[in-house]
Amino acid sequence: MKELNAGLELLKKINSYGYEAYFIGGFVRDYLLNIPSNDIDITTSMPIEEIKSKFNIIDNGSTYSSLTISFDSFLFEVTHFRKDSLYLDHRHPVVMDIDTLEEDVKRRDFTINAIAMDKDYKLYDFYSGIEDLKLKRIKTIREPNERFIEDSLRILRGCYFSSKLGFEIENETLMAMNKQRALLKNLS
């Protein structure tokens, strides 16, 4: 896969500048499930301003510590390690840059989307996402009611992943989705 190879080269390039860089999210999930995917997201400790100075970028969200890098004729969404501190409208967070991958994955929606992979294919799984992939289970990171109150789109994302992957939604997560369903009115 040409895009994977380009992504690996991009991780190595970021590492060569002295920063951590990992594939994260849906690409890693799909890679582990042997599902073709060309939507590669990267999370890194490299500051956004330095990314802007070293790579060909499309600035589509640097206020959220996110950019798109054009590398080897592919596009990669790259975010600095970040933390969502306050959610303004059950959807849009105030974002703060942080220093660690482990802290970054806490902000992600479901365990199966919080697995990271480095340039050597080493996996980082702080929330048992690999186990949930094996069990074909959708489960939030941390307390599900809190996660859906923070960002109500996660309710729809849970349904989407359940349908797309044929996974069951873990009972506590499903009960919270039902309890917080009125928050869906906040979505456009």
Side-chain angles (χ1 to χ4, degrees):
M1 171 184 202
K2 291 180 181 180
E3 191 165 8
L4 172 59
N5 291 334
L8 290 167
E9 289 305 311
L10 179 54
L11 293 183
K12 290 174 189 174
K13 186 79 169 164
I14 294 170
N15 292 160
S16 77
Y17 292 121
Y19 297 101
E20 295 175 58
Y22 306 91
F23 296 133
I24 190 74
F27 175 78
V28 178
R29 177 199 67 231
D30 291 348
Y31 175 82
L32 294 172
L33 293 172
N34 292 311
I35 297 171
S37 177
N38 59 359
D39 182 18
I40 300 178
D41 294 336
I42 295 172
T43 188
T44 181
S45 60
M46 188 175 205
I48 291 295
E49 292 306 314
E50 193 164 348
I51 292 171
K52 287 179 177 181
S53 72
K54 303 251 191 262
F55 295 100
N56 180 19
I57 64 106
I58 299 167
D59 190 342
N60 58 343
S62 61
T63 56
Y64 292 102
S65 295
S66 178
L67 298 168
T68 299
I69 294 179
S70 177
F71 187 83
D72 198 19
S73 55
F74 295 101
L75 298 176
F76 301 92
E77 187 170 326
V78 180
T79 58
H80 186 281
F81 295 157
R82 58 192 179 167
K83 172 181 180 176
D84 300 339
S85 60
L86 172 69
Y87 283 80
L88 304 175
D89 55 3
H90 302 289
R91 177 71 189 107
H92 299 97
V94 174
V95 175
M96 300 169 21
D97 287 350
I98 54 173
D99 297 324
T100 67
L101 172 66
E102 186 171 2
E103 188 70 19
D104 177 82
V105 297
K106 285 181 183 178
R107 64 176 289 281
R108 301 192 178 269
D109 52 9
F110 301 102
T111 61
I112 62 171
N113 294 333
I115 306 164
M117 185 169 71
D118 70 15
K119 66 178 175 28
D120 299 315
Y121 297 87
K122 181 178 176 187
L123 298 172
Y124 299 82
D125 182 17
F126 303 104
Y127 290 97
S128 303
I130 294 170
E131 178 182 347
D132 287 333
L133 284 175
K134 290 175 185 171
L135 295 172
K136 298 184 177 201
R137 175 172 63 193
I138 306 292
K139 181 179 176 185
T140 59
I141 293 173
R142 302 186 324 226
E143 204 285 318
N145 281 292
E146 246 177 63
R147 302 319 312 253
F148 299 133
I149 290 170
E150 290 170 346
D151 184 349
S152 54
L153 184 61
R154 290 177 178 145
I155 296 169
L156 295 180
R157 286 175 54 84
C159 295
Y160 168 76
F161 293 126
S162 176
S163 175
K164 174 186 174 186
L165 301 171
F167 284 17
E168 290 204 19
I169 300 171
E170 177 261 344
N171 193 49
E172 189 177 346
T173 299
L174 185 60
M175 289 190 319
M177 291 167 85
N178 187 45
K179 182 176 181 182
Q180 302 304 333
R181 70 185 183 276
L183 294 173
L184 294 173
K185 71 179 185 292
N186 297 312
L187 299 176
S188 58

